Amino acid sequence: MKKIRCMVCIVVCLSVFFIMGVPTFAMDHRVSSSGHKAVTRVISKEDAKKHKHWKYGYYKGYAKGYVTSTYKHYANVKLYFLGDSVKSSGRKWGTGKVSVETGWDYNDCDLTGAAVGSSIFYGFSK
């Protein structure tokens, strides 16, 4: 019985670890570091008046990230609301540390801020 409880506990802990958006590290040997995060802020009354899709007291979001490599590469960060990709930074090319961000998404907002996420993508030139 203790073994089953221990196994269930491990599965739950690993599930929470991967679901919560823990920072991930690149698996490609050409990338020395990468990272991404979604930033949320409470929408003010002024912002709610300016943008018709935003509601006062809800959360707005944007995504930012980076990829570092000595090779020529691009970085692209995507913002997600409720699992759907709603905004992308587009590809930015360079060498060294390439930082990208989406800017605020004016079409979506979230009541708790928990439904906002991000992912970083990268690729190399031939």
Side-chain angles (χ1 to χ4, degrees), residues 25-62:
F25 298 95
M27 300 297 283
D28 195 313
H29 70 279
R30 298 172 289 184
V31 174
S32 57
S33 66
S34 68
H36 62 89
K37 72 177 187 176
V39 178
T40 58
R41 298 281 187 272
V42 176
I43 298 171
S44 66
K45 287 183 182 179
E46 296 79 24
D47 284 343
K49 287 179 184 176
K50 288 181 195 175
H51 308 289
K52 66 179 182 177
H53 296 288
W54 282 357
K55 297 175 184 165
Y56 170 65
Y58 280 49
Y59 286 82
K60 58 185 176 178
Y62 80 91

Side-chain angles (χ1 to χ4, degrees), residues 3-78:
K3 287 182 181 180
I4 293 174
R5 284 185 187 170
C6 183
M7 289 172 39
V8 169
C9 182
I10 290 172
V11 168
V12 169
C13 289
L14 288 174
S15 298
V16 169
F17 180 79
F18 288 110
I19 291 171
M20 296 304 290
V22 178
T24 56
F25 298 95
M27 300 297 283
D28 195 313
H29 70 279
R30 298 172 289 184
V31 174
S32 57
S33 66
S34 68
H36 62 89
K37 72 177 187 176
V39 178
T40 58
R41 298 281 187 272
V42 176
I43 298 171
S44 66
K45 287 183 182 179
E46 296 79 24
D47 284 343
K49 287 179 184 176
K50 288 181 195 175
H51 308 289
K52 66 179 182 177
H53 296 288
W54 282 357
K55 297 175 184 165
Y56 170 65
Y58 280 49
Y59 286 82
K60 58 185 176 178
Y62 80 91
K64 61 183 181 178
Y66 70 91
V67 176
T68 306
S69 176
T70 56
Y71 298 90
K72 184 175 181 184
H73 65 284
Y74 72 83
N76 180 19
V77 69
K78 289 190 178 186

Side-chain angles (χ1 to χ4, degrees), residues 99-112:
S99 298
V100 288
E101 64 180 50
T102 61
W104 295 109
D105 176 36
Y106 297 112
N107 296 320
D108 298 285
C109 62
D110 180 50
L111 180 60
T112 63

